[in-house]
Every structure is written in structure tokens, then in C-alpha cells.
Amino acid sequence: AKAPAYMRSAAEKGIPGAQNRLAHMHLEGVRVAKDAVEAVKWRTLAKSNGIADDALDTALAKLPKEQRTKGETAAAEWSDKAQVLPNP
């Protein structure tokens, strides 16, 4: 079960492809907990970093507005925190 940990680590380091893959994993519940809010969070970050994924955008658009809003807020908070942390 190392793959999800590596994917999360890469996503948290700001690697857009990993952020997008983690969004898919959370949306579908693949090797991680199914979590729509986390899916929106990571997709929002990946999209802001230039990753196009129309199929994922379409799937997330069907989620309840409350979940989408929570995910977008979590992405904004994560971005703010990430910008404050020094690069190792």
C-alpha cells in the first residue's frame, strides 16, 4: 500500500500530475478512502497548475455544491499553507 503514500507525497510537493491522480483516487475510492471533498481539493490544485482533465471536471461538477465548495476552500487553504512553508 505504498503507492497511495507516494502519490500523496508527490501531490503535497506540488506535482500537478500527482495532484490530479490523487483526485481520481479519492473520487473513485481506489486504494484510498472515497472522499469527494478531497477529490475536489486535489483537482482544483492540479487544474490551477495547468492539468486538463475534462472527464474528471465533469464527474466533479455532478457532486453536491456543498462538497465542491468545501473542496475548493480546502484547496485554497492548502495553497496558502504551502506558500508559507519553506522549500526543503
Side-chain angles (χ1 to χ4, degrees):
K2 288 183 179 179
Y6 287 128
M7 191 65 64
R8 179 167 300 281
S9 177
E12 289 175 349
K13 289 178 180 161
I15 298 170
Q19 293 170 336
N20 204 63
R21 186 70 209 128
L22 193 56
H24 275 281
M25 291 169 72
H26 276 294
L27 182 65
E28 299 159 11
V30 176
R31 301 178 73 184
V32 295
K34 194 168 187 174
D35 186 333
V37 173
E38 279 290 293
V40 172
K41 169 186 159 183
W42 290 111
R43 175 59 192 138
T44 300
L45 291 165
K47 191 173 187 175
S48 72
N49 286 315
I51 299 290
D53 190 331
D54 292 340
L56 184 55
D57 289 340
T58 299
L60 294 176
K62 295 175 183 174
L63 294 172
K65 185 173 194 240
E66 180 185 355
Q67 288 181 323
R68 293 193 319 268
T69 300
K70 281 184 180 179
E72 290 163 2
T73 300
E77 289 170 354
W78 187 89
S79 286
D80 290 346
K81 184 178 79 172
Q83 290 174 11
V84 172
L85 296 175
N87 266 339

